[in-house]
Amino acid sequence: MKLLKRLLLVLVLLPLLCLAGGWIYLNSLEPDYNEEGTINGLSDGTEVIYDEYAIPHIYAKSRVDAFRTLGYTQAKDRLWQMELVRRIAPGRLSEVFGEATLETDRMFRMLGLAEYTEESVQHFENEVGQSVKELVEAYLDGINEYVKNGKTPIEFTILGLDKTPFSVADVYNVSAYMAFSFAMAHKTEPILTYILEKHGADYLNDLMVHVDSSSTIIASSGSEINYEGLSMQVDELMNSLPVPAFIGSNSWVVSGKKSESGQVLFANDPHIAFSQPSVWYEAHLNAPDLNLYGCWLGGFPFPQLINTDRHAIGLTMFENDDIDLFREKVNPDNAGEYLYKGEWKAFETREETIQVKDGTAVTIQVKSTVHGPVMNEGFAALKESDPVSIWWVYTKHTNQLLESAYLLGMAKNMDEVRTGAAMIHAPGLNIMYGDKEGNIAWWSAAKLPRRPDHVNSKLILDGSSGADDPLGYFDFSENPQSENPEWGYVYSANNQSRSPSGRLHPGYYLPEDRARRIVSLLEKKDDWTVEDYQQMLLDVTSENAPEIVLSILDGIDQSMLSEKEKSVLAELGDWQGIFAKELAAPTIYSKMMYHIAAATFTDELGADLFQVFNGTHIMKRSLQPLLANADSKWWDDVNTAEVRETRTDIFTKAISNTTAELTEQFGTNTVDWQWQKAHTLEHNHSFSAVPPLKKYFNVGPFPVSGNTETINNMHCRLQPDGTYEVFAGPSTRRIVDFANLTGNSWSILPTGQSGNVLSSHYADQSQMFVEGKFRRMLTDRNDIEASELYRSVFSAQ
């Protein structure tokens, strides 16, 4: 009997002990924000005061100690994110995720970014100045101190992954991924070339991609290029990356002549794919010669978004075209050679081995031409195609992004910031600037290629003749830019802009909707305040959408509609273009726009390729002028030779389908068709594909206002199922008031500061973000201590 009682006691206690052990283990992984210890290499003690949102305010006796402590502090909250970001460019994700990421690794290995990183490291060791090097190395030392002695994030444990030290190569790999994620050419140029080859120049010209009517596709050396498959594979790989891609952005800066205070007022909200953790790590560094508040990318030592006592810097994506794809011609008698300027040249070759977790290592042979690496080995869609090589500005020049980022943060005046901007070769960025002296400026920072006049860089080019090759680069003075304009403001919203001489540089620019709205609002006032800026960053009105609706109304045959369809159309006609979550009109508009786009493009592209095209900037830019063009060839269904369809046919059917589907989805009462029921935001963790883990690691979903091209940019694709999951948008909303830098500058992150799921700061800003709230960026020590939640103290060893 006693034995039975003991057995029952064990059976009762064992689960409790397991639960207690699990609870103790999980709590042991929570970040320790009240830490006392040492960081190897410190020359003196440092303090880290965490405010109520766990933003670290680092106080040090030197810049070097501040950056060393930053590395340690960032790793404490973001080590898993940093681990993923450093693995993408060199093609090392499969070491963690196995065969699931093998095709992604193939793509990046083909690009040769690991080789370019090696060259960049040599540049760092031999040519980078000591003032930059010592901060980079201190930052890395801090990370590695945490890697060695800090807690292991639970993601590492789940995947059985060991923590390993970070190096200068990892820093350059972070910048390489950022550069690649900007590029739209990989998936867009094959689609456009396909349209030209299959349907002709008129189709492209109606998309505002101007080509000569006599344009022809270069002769094949054998196999045709699988344009459709290439675009679809690039799209799939980019959508499956475990860290966010850079999409767009807004920024505007007004001078004292347009602010109530008479001082510069600055705003920026870079648009990046939403993720958990969110992309930016916010921190404040204070030393005798430094007072730097900024937003850092994981694993990169210098902030990209910057506030100091003197100046502020923000970023938007330039969207310039810095990639050309070339179709190469292979020697029919020797597959190891390709034709270039009348001569057969040998392909350069290199071997890449990809380690695959729980699998066999995969070795690939990558060829290169004078233009760059051949894409075929990186994309299964090109296995049987003619070689396509990729020429990319990023890998053609010495990487000075570290030196540039250092100078942007440490600059003492506008001239030094301009110098730092001119050092950026790729990715293309708009550097937005304001300072305490009242200066405002914007520089498009990139090396812009000079191309032959006949070249349309949005098409796949002829690699064999050399006639399509870039001719060199424009001087930085020919980049679009503006300093202290007389009208009192500068702005950028990924729209196309002109150089000082009036030149338009080719690119994959976004529609002018946001740019137009920004200018429209800025022009109306000369007494802007922080509160006005907050409302403007949350603006969800499209001035273009009502114009698009007018084109639709002009094209519809209302005699063919039912009374219900007419009432739905009338609601759309009364709409002012406001994408508020409580309204039904945005839902009607989005559903109708999908049906119009799908009916217009699917017959020429096919269903799968249309979905890729649906995600390109080209379609977004071209849709409004196309809808106003009743004579476009796109309206005719190429599959019905005996009938010529018109714009009226497509528009009329679209409103009928919209009414029927929304009735089925939400009911007969249009009041119930609210935008918030279809338009939602969820922040996905890299484990989101695993259902049992998703609910613990993801944040959201939340119903949200806004749309793809409103200032409050909630980026989604038009979808056939009537749901519009937001996948990108403001990665922070940031306002800097030069009338009161320490007391009236504001920010917000989409989720929280910590990437540790066990931290109370993992998602503590997420509700604030969707509600349009802000929090102060604290730089005054008295304010910081008044907001203090935790304090860590580190001493030198």
Side-chain angles (χ1 to χ4, degrees):
M1 189 70 177
K2 289 182 179 180
L3 178 61
L4 179 61
K5 287 181 178 180
R6 288 174 181 170
L7 285 172
L8 289 172
L9 184 62
V10 169
L11 290 173
V12 170
L13 290 178
L14 189 58
L16 294 176
L17 289 171
C18 289
L19 287 171
W23 183 85
I24 292 169
Y25 166 70
L26 290 175
N27 276 273
S28 73
L29 301 181
E30 185 178 354
D32 183 4
Y33 297 117
N34 289 306
E35 186 175 359
E36 292 188 16
T38 60
I39 296 177
N40 187 39
L42 285 179
S43 61
D44 209 327
T46 62
E47 279 185 307
V48 183
I49 303 174
Y50 290 92
D51 65 28
E52 61 182 312
Y53 296 100
I55 309 300
H57 301 266
I58 298 170
Y59 288 88
K61 302 294 176 56
S62 70
R63 285 185 182 184
V64 174
D65 281 355
F67 274 81
R68 183 172 276 108
T69 307
L70 170 69
Y72 184 90
T73 302
Q74 188 175 15
K76 181 185 296 186
D77 268 317
R78 296 292 186 95
L79 187 61
W80 172 243
Q81 180 187 54
M82 294 157 73
E83 179 69 31
L84 289 181
V85 174
R86 69 166 169 167
R87 285 179 175 273
I88 293 175
R92 297 183 54 219
L93 288 172
S94 297
E95 297 172 15
V96 177
F97 297 109
E99 290 189 1
T101 54
L102 181 56
E103 293 306 311
T104 301
D105 283 347
R106 279 183 181 272
M107 175 177 68
F108 282 101
R109 291 295 183 98
M110 172 275 299
L111 288 169
L113 292 175
E115 284 188 323
Y116 180 65
T117 286
E118 290 178 10
E119 296 171 8
S120 300
V121 171
Q122 291 299 311
H123 165 73
F124 179 85
E125 293 174 350
N126 300 325
E127 300 177 48
V128 171
Q130 186 59 31
S131 58
V132 179
K133 289 179 72 170
E134 65 181 5
L135 296 186
V136 173
E137 290 167 349
Y139 172 77
L140 289 168
D141 288 345
I143 294 173
N144 290 331
E145 179 76 12
Y146 190 83
V147 167
K148 181 180 178 181
N149 298 315
K151 298 176 181 180
T152 301
I154 194 169
E155 292 93 338
F156 285 79
T157 304
I158 290 172
L159 291 170
L161 182 67
D162 293 329
K163 297 181 295 182
T164 57
F166 281 64
S167 68
V168 174
D170 294 316
V171 172
Y172 283 109
N173 283 331
V174 171
S175 68
Y177 169 66
M178 182 175 71
F180 177 82
S181 74
F182 280 35
M184 290 293 293
H186 309 83
K187 67 179 180 182
T188 307
E189 290 178 13
I191 296 177
L192 298 180
T193 306
Y194 169 83
I195 292 171
L196 176 61
E197 182 180 64
K198 192 170 181 65
H199 301 293
D202 288 345
Y203 279 84
L204 281 188
N205 289 334
D206 283 351
L207 300 178
M208 313 304 288
V209 182
H210 300 297
V211 296
D212 188 279
S213 60
S214 63
S215 295
T216 57
I217 301 300
I218 62 171
S220 168
S221 61
S223 303
E224 291 300 313
I225 295 175
N226 183 2
Y227 302 116
E228 314 97 291
L230 175 58
S231 288
M232 287 186 283
Q233 189 175 1
V234 172
D235 188 57
E236 180 182 358
L237 293 178
M238 289 300 295
N239 290 337
S240 65
L241 287 172
V243 294
F246 291 70
I247 306 294
S249 305
N250 301 313
S251 185
W252 58 90
V253 191
V254 302
S255 70
K257 68 173 61 176
K258 285 190 70 68
S259 71
E260 185 179 71
S261 68
Q263 300 293 321
V264 169
L265 201 54
F266 179 103
N268 185 210
D269 67 328
H271 302 156
I272 301 173
F274 287 117
S275 66
Q276 182 55 7
S278 56
V279 66
W280 299 117
Y281 183 78
E282 222 169 304
H284 170 218
L285 279 59
N286 184 278
D289 58 347
L290 180 72
N291 193 31
L292 174 66
Y293 195 111
C295 295
W296 275 257
L297 288 175
F300 196 83
F302 302 116
Q304 286 70 44
L305 312 180
I306 298 163
N307 313 359
T308 74
D309 295 333
R310 298 180 299 274
H311 71 291
I313 287 175
L315 301 178
T316 74
M317 289 78 211
F318 185 5
E319 308 290 1
N320 58 300
D321 185 2
D322 61 3
I323 286 177
D324 286 337
L325 303 184
F326 289 89
R327 183 176 188 167
E328 310 290 359
K329 186 174 183 179
V330 177
N331 187 346
D333 299 320
N334 183 351
E337 294 182 338
Y338 66 98
L339 184 64
Y340 184 67
K341 292 185 178 180
E343 297 182 4
W344 297 111
K345 297 177 68 73
F347 287 103
E348 294 182 8
T349 60
R350 56 185 166 86
E351 189 174 276
E352 297 270 0
T353 300
I354 303 171
Q355 301 298 327
V356 182
K357 181 182 179 182
D358 300 327
T360 304
V362 174
T363 299
I364 64 174
Q365 300 288 333
V366 180
K367 297 178 181 178
S368 293
T369 70
V370 294
H371 300 114
V374 173
M375 299 175 68
N376 298 51
E377 188 60 39
F379 295 95
L382 293 179
K383 281 290 187 183
E384 305 302 324
S385 297
D386 282 349
V388 176
S389 59
I390 180 169
W391 180 92
W392 186 14
V393 171
Y394 180 73
T395 58
K396 298 297 183 183
H397 297 275
T398 300
N399 190 331
Q400 294 184 292
L401 290 177
L402 278 174
E403 298 97 300
S404 171
Y406 170 87
L407 193 53
L408 294 179
M410 307 301 174
K412 296 179 177 60
N413 52 57
M414 188 168 75
D415 290 342
E416 290 185 358
V417 174
R418 186 194 304 109
T419 299
M423 297 169 69
I424 297 172
H425 71 294
L429 297 168
N430 289 299
I431 308 296
M432 308 301 295
Y433 175 82
D435 67 26
K436 190 68 175 174
E437 286 70 45
N439 296 301
I440 63 172
W442 145 65
W443 302 277
S444 293
K447 275 194 171 294
L448 297 175
R450 288 183 179 271
R451 295 178 170 100
D453 290 341
H454 71 274
V455 163
N456 186 325
S457 67
K458 292 183 174 65
L459 302 173
I460 295 180
L461 306 174
D462 175 14
S464 60
S465 68
D468 291 352
D469 291 3
L471 304 174
Y473 297 89
F474 290 97
D475 185 77
F476 181 72
S477 63
E478 272 296 303
N479 286 28
Q481 56 192 278
S482 180
E483 297 180 8
N484 293 321
E486 62 183 25
W487 47 88
Y489 62 87
V490 292
Y491 72 96
S492 174
N494 319 117
N495 52 299
Q496 179 147 39
S497 49
R498 294 182 182 274
S499 71
S501 65
R503 183 182 300 276
L504 292 173
H505 295 279
Y508 290 97
Y509 305 103
L510 283 158
E512 278 69 27
D513 304 41
R514 287 180 288 116
R516 175 184 175 186
R517 180 67 174 165
I518 289 169
V519 171
S520 173
L521 293 174
L522 290 179
E523 285 286 344
K524 292 176 181 177
K525 285 170 56 72
D526 291 326
D527 58 350
W528 285 91
T529 65
V530 164
E531 292 73 23
D532 295 331
Y533 264 32
Q534 290 177 346
Q535 291 303 308
M536 189 167 165
L537 282 166
L538 300 171
D539 185 83
V540 294
T541 297
S542 168
E543 296 184 8
N544 293 62
E547 296 173 353
I548 291 172
V549 170
L550 286 177
S551 292
I552 294 171
L553 292 172
D554 180 62
I556 284 183
D557 181 358
Q558 295 205 31
S559 68
M560 301 293 292
L561 303 181
S562 68
E563 291 306 312
K564 176 66 174 178
E565 291 163 355
K566 288 178 182 177
S567 69
V568 170
L569 192 60
E571 182 155 354
L572 200 59
D574 293 337
W575 180 50
Q576 300 301 307
I578 301 171
F579 283 85
K581 62 184 180 181
E582 300 84 5
L583 299 180
T587 314
I588 299 169
Y589 176 81
S590 299
K591 170 66 81 170
M592 187 164 185
M593 290 298 287
Y594 171 79
H595 278 299
I596 289 172
T600 302
F601 297 116
T602 301
D603 56 307
E604 285 87 1
L605 301 180
D608 293 336
L609 192 57
F610 163 67
Q611 285 303 325
V612 179
F613 185 60
N614 184 19
T616 65
H617 294 354
I618 289 289
M619 193 189 95
K620 295 169 193 169
R621 276 180 65 84
S622 64
L623 208 49
Q624 182 171 356
L626 180 64
L627 267 57
N629 179 7
D631 299 323
S632 174
K633 288 187 174 182
W634 283 101
W635 306 126
D636 182 38
D637 187 340
V638 297
N639 298 315
T640 57
E642 69 284 357
V643 178
R644 182 175 179 82
E645 288 79 12
T646 66
R647 185 180 70 155
T648 295
D649 294 328
I650 287 178
F651 288 4
T652 306
K653 186 175 181 181
I655 191 61
S656 298
N657 288 338
T658 294
T659 303
E661 291 175 14
L662 290 179
T663 299
E664 182 177 353
Q665 186 176 358
F666 299 118
T668 57
N669 191 342
T670 56
V671 174
D672 296 327
W673 299 1
Q674 294 177 348
W675 186 223
Q676 62 188 334
K677 295 182 179 180
H679 191 240
T680 58
L681 165 61
E682 184 168 6
H683 304 275
N684 289 315
H685 186 274
S686 54
F687 286 176
S688 62
V690 183
L693 297 177
K694 176 179 178 178
K695 65 179 180 179
Y696 297 107
F697 286 92
N698 278 16
V699 177
F702 304 97
V704 289
S705 299
N707 192 34
T708 298
E709 288 303 327
T710 54
I711 293 178
N712 186 13
N713 184 250
M714 292 294 171
H715 213 92
C716 59
R717 281 193 186 184
L718 299 173
Q719 298 286 0
D721 65 356
T723 62
Y724 308 96
E725 291 86 2
V726 175
F727 65 88
S731 55
T732 176
R733 299 186 183 108
R734 179 167 154 261
I735 300 169
V736 180
D737 180 8
F738 281 91
N740 186 359
L741 285 171
T742 60
N744 202 31
S745 293
W746 300 82
S747 180
I748 193 71
L749 293 175
T751 54
Q753 173 76 347
S754 182
N756 188 319
V757 69
L758 301 168
S759 170
S760 57
H761 303 286
Y762 186 70
D764 59 335
Q765 298 178 56
S766 58
Q767 192 64 44
M768 294 173 63
F769 177 81
V770 298
E771 291 176 2
K773 295 180 180 179
F774 293 79
R775 53 171 175 72
R776 284 175 58 202
M777 293 188 284
L778 304 177
T779 55
D780 179 81
R781 180 145 186 163
N782 291 330
D783 292 340
I784 292 164
E785 290 183 337
S787 178
E788 178 180 340
L789 275 188
Y790 323 99
R791 185 178 300 215
S792 292
V793 180
F794 300 103
S795 59
Q797 283 188 332

